[in-house]
Amino acid sequence: YFLIPKQVEVAAQASRIFLDGGNNDQSEYIAGASYFFKGHKVKLQATYSLLINEAAGNDLVNHRFRTLMGFSF
């Protein structure tokens, strides 16, 4: 969704994997933003992810932050 048309875009995603067996599912929640300097030719993108791996009585939680500066010719 563009907050500022053709310049600032935000996005979100949620996913879940149901593995065989009990209490071992995985979840992922992502929020991201893009800033377009010159359309898709020059852009900056950033995402934050919350990753949850369920284990019997002990969830493992990880955080991931990624950035990308993209140039195309």
Side-chain angles (χ1 to χ4, degrees):
Y1 176 78
F2 275 97
L3 293 177
I4 300 173
K6 298 184 180 182
Q7 191 172 16
V8 177
E9 181 181 33
V10 294
Q13 174 182 331
S15 61
R16 187 164 173 91
I17 299 173
F18 299 97
L19 300 170
D20 288 337
N23 297 326
N24 62 352
D25 297 339
Q26 299 175 2
S27 300
E28 180 178 44
Y29 304 95
I30 303 170
S34 300
Y35 182 83
F36 298 90
F37 295 94
K38 293 187 180 258
H40 286 280
K41 292 185 180 273
V42 181
K43 62 185 170 183
L44 175 65
Q45 297 178 299
T47 61
Y48 166 75
S49 301
L50 174 63
L51 310 165
I52 303 169
N53 291 320
E54 295 178 5
N58 188 19
D59 291 352
L60 176 62
V61 177
N62 290 300
H63 304 272
R64 178 174 60 204
F65 183 74
R66 297 188 292 185
T67 59
L68 165 77
M69 185 71 184
F71 302 93
S72 62
F73 305 93

